[in-house]
Amino acid sequence: MSFKLEEEEYGVNVLKVREIIRMPSITRVPNTPHYVEGVINLRGKVIPILSMRKRFGLPEGENSSQTRIMVMDMEGELMGFVVDAVSEVIRISESEIQPPPAVVNSAVEQECLSGVINQTERLLFFLDLEKLITQDERRLFSGMM
């Protein structure tokens, strides 16, 4: 599944994506990391919502009609990630994922990148979401639910 932040495009394993929703009203939670927007009630289940822009140190932008929350399964827990836009589901083979270069001109922390997908007109940074959120952060988020 590919999505956009700023002008860059990223990909995650579509099997991790549970659903994509429009921006609902988000309830703020005090004393959380700066990139945590708050929580939402998704059909009776409270899930934490994280801003991918803030997590990667990008400037905050206004939400648009394209802004979405990607609800992902993170080791059995649901978490929502705010992205600028969801692009498409792309079918790729393992062989198409190249190792990330040592220095990538991307806002993403190097250890979160599991590879780069080079398609004719574009580069896609493939993310390892499990490395994006630490165990301590997961414990904090599970306490929010």
Side-chain angles (χ1 to χ4, degrees):
M1 167 98 26
S2 67
F3 63 91
K4 289 189 177 193
L5 290 175
E6 293 263 303
E7 297 301 314
E8 294 183 44
E9 201 164 3
Y10 300 89
V12 293
N13 186 335
V14 72
L15 298 176
K16 294 277 186 195
V17 180
R18 291 295 164 248
E19 60 187 289
I20 298 164
I21 59 174
R22 293 186 188 273
M23 288 295 291
S25 176
I26 298 174
T27 303
R28 298 244 179 244
V29 178
N31 301 319
T32 56
H34 74 284
Y35 56 86
V36 176
E37 294 291 318
V39 294
I40 63 169
N41 181 337
L42 185 64
R43 290 183 298 284
K45 183 158 178 64
V46 176
I47 63 170
I49 304 298
L50 286 66
S51 166
M52 292 291 267
R53 280 179 163 272
K54 290 179 184 176
R55 181 68 175 95
F56 295 150
L58 295 170
E60 281 190 64
E62 289 293 317
N63 289 342
S64 73
S65 62
Q66 298 297 310
T67 304
R68 296 289 185 268
I69 294 177
M70 294 175 65
V71 178
M72 310 278 231
D73 183 340
M74 301 289 291
E75 296 182 351
E77 297 286 339
L78 292 181
M79 299 177 88
F81 296 88
V82 179
V83 298
D84 292 349
V86 174
S87 304
E88 61 187 314
V89 174
I90 305 169
R91 185 176 303 268
I92 58 165
S93 67
E94 285 282 327
S95 63
E96 291 179 84
I97 302 174
Q98 302 170 12
V103 178
V104 176
N105 187 17
S106 170
V108 181
E109 296 154 7
Q110 187 73 27
E111 65 271 8
C112 298
L113 286 177
S114 61
V116 176
I117 301 161
N118 186 2
Q119 293 189 322
T120 44
E121 298 287 320
R122 65 184 182 177
L123 281 179
L124 222 85
F125 297 105
F126 196 70
L127 299 178
D128 183 343
L129 292 175
E130 305 303 325
K131 293 180 181 171
L132 182 65
I133 307 297
T134 67
Q135 288 296 337
D136 289 340
E137 290 169 324
R138 281 197 188 96
R139 279 192 286 282
L140 168 72
F141 301 145
S142 67
M144 295 169 67
M145 300 179 268

